[in-house]
Amino acid sequence: GGTLTVTGTYLLVTFAPNVPQDLTARRIQNYLVSWPFLVYSILEIILFCILLYFYKRKAVRHIAVLLVMVALLASLTVIAVKAVASMVTLSVKGKMQLTYPVFYIMIVLMAISSAFQVKFLDQAMHLYEATTVVPVNFMFFTTSAIISGVIFYQEFQSAALLSVFMFLFGCLLSFLGVFVIARNKKVEHLQIPFIDCGRIPGQKLTGKIQPDSHSSCYGTLNNEDKSVK
């Protein structure tokens, strides 16, 4: 499962379109109001609200619910980080971009999305084992980040058919690997501890002594035995 996940993620990163471009503030503004990103944003907000509703109101604690919310927030983080990094780089080179409002919008978006995804990821780590959370989050995070970047920066327009096929094949391998890792996890059931005091001289035990915080009686001693009193 781990091998499939790593192989699929490698294919995702290798065959994802990587078109170098100067991301100026004006270009980022145009990307923000482009119809592919607007449709993607609306779908992402709807999906996030549905998952958040099930998580908060219905108390659904499935690992997929938590980590999909983390991945949706991560997609915004990746977009914001790339935009901020590009504008800072261009400003250092002499093309000032820090005076545009979109720069500060991206900084706020980056900070908020990072904080909330860390919150949900921390909750997932408390509910599930790290061996399950890490690979699932790794796959969801990588896939969501690449897809959102492709939609926002429109880098798939000039991609070759082979690259698109290998990209989708990498997604399939990653999902298959995560399925193999996460399936058939044993659920640990906490057992109620019993205290076996052995034989007590002069007293007859009719059962094991079980601590009960809601009762004044701590055992099942024979009531007929007057020495108990």
Side-chain angles (χ1 to χ4, degrees):
T3 302
L4 290 173
T5 304
V6 172
T7 304
T9 306
Y10 173 78
L11 293 177
L12 285 175
V13 176
T14 302
F15 291 95
N18 185 16
V19 181
Q21 54 181 335
D22 292 331
L23 297 176
T24 61
R26 294 187 179 274
R27 178 171 290 183
I28 293 173
Q29 290 176 356
N30 294 332
Y31 287 155
L32 283 174
V33 297
S34 62
W35 70 264
F37 180 70
L38 291 177
V39 172
Y40 175 78
S41 300
I42 293 173
L43 294 177
E44 185 176 89
I45 292 173
I46 293 174
L47 179 59
F48 184 84
C49 291
I50 292 174
L51 294 175
L52 188 62
Y53 170 78
F54 280 101
Y55 178 71
K56 292 293 186 180
R57 299 295 183 182
K58 301 297 184 179
V60 178
R61 297 293 187 265
H62 195 275
I63 187 173
V65 174
L66 284 166
L67 295 186
V68 168
M69 287 194 293
V70 172
L72 294 176
L73 292 169
S75 65
L76 300 178
T77 304
V78 170
I79 291 174
V81 167
K82 186 174 182 179
V84 170
S86 179
M87 286 186 283
V88 170
T89 302
L90 291 176
S91 300
V92 172
K93 292 181 179 180
K95 299 179 181 179
M96 181 54 63
Q97 306 291 320
L98 306 185
T99 57
Y100 291 89
V102 68
F103 174 75
Y104 302 97
I105 292 174
M106 286 297 180
I107 288 182
V108 172
L109 179 63
M110 178 178 63
I112 294 176
S113 59
S114 299
F116 278 98
Q117 69 174 296
V118 169
K119 175 184 177 181
F120 289 120
L121 184 60
D122 180 68
Q123 293 176 1
M125 293 293 292
H126 280 84
L127 294 174
Y128 297 92
E129 298 177 355
T131 54
T132 302
V133 174
V134 171
V136 175
N137 180 65
F138 181 63
M139 188 275 297
F140 281 167
F141 180 96
T142 305
T143 304
S144 177
I146 293 177
I147 291 176
S148 62
V150 167
I151 293 176
F152 184 80
Y153 297 110
Q154 302 176 8
E155 297 174 343
F156 250 136
Q157 294 180 349
S158 58
L161 182 61
L162 178 61
S163 297
V164 176
F165 173 77
M166 295 302 294
F167 180 85
L168 297 177
F169 182 64
C171 291
L172 179 62
L173 287 182
S174 298
F175 278 103
L176 182 60
V178 170
F179 173 77
V180 173
I181 292 174
R183 73 187 183 95
N184 295 334
K185 285 292 180 181
K186 295 182 179 179
V187 180
E188 295 184 359
H189 298 282
L190 296 178
Q191 297 181 354
I192 300 176
F194 289 88
I195 301 175
D196 188 0
C197 297
R199 294 189 178 185
I200 301 178
Q203 297 179 358
K204 296 180 180 181
L205 291 176
T206 60
K208 294 182 179 179
I209 297 177
Q210 178 184 8
D212 186 0
S213 59
H214 302 289
S215 174
S216 60
C217 181
Y218 266 79
T220 54
L221 296 176
N222 195 334
N223 294 330
E224 297 179 356
D225 194 347
K226 296 181 180 180
S227 62
V228 175
K229 298 180 181 181

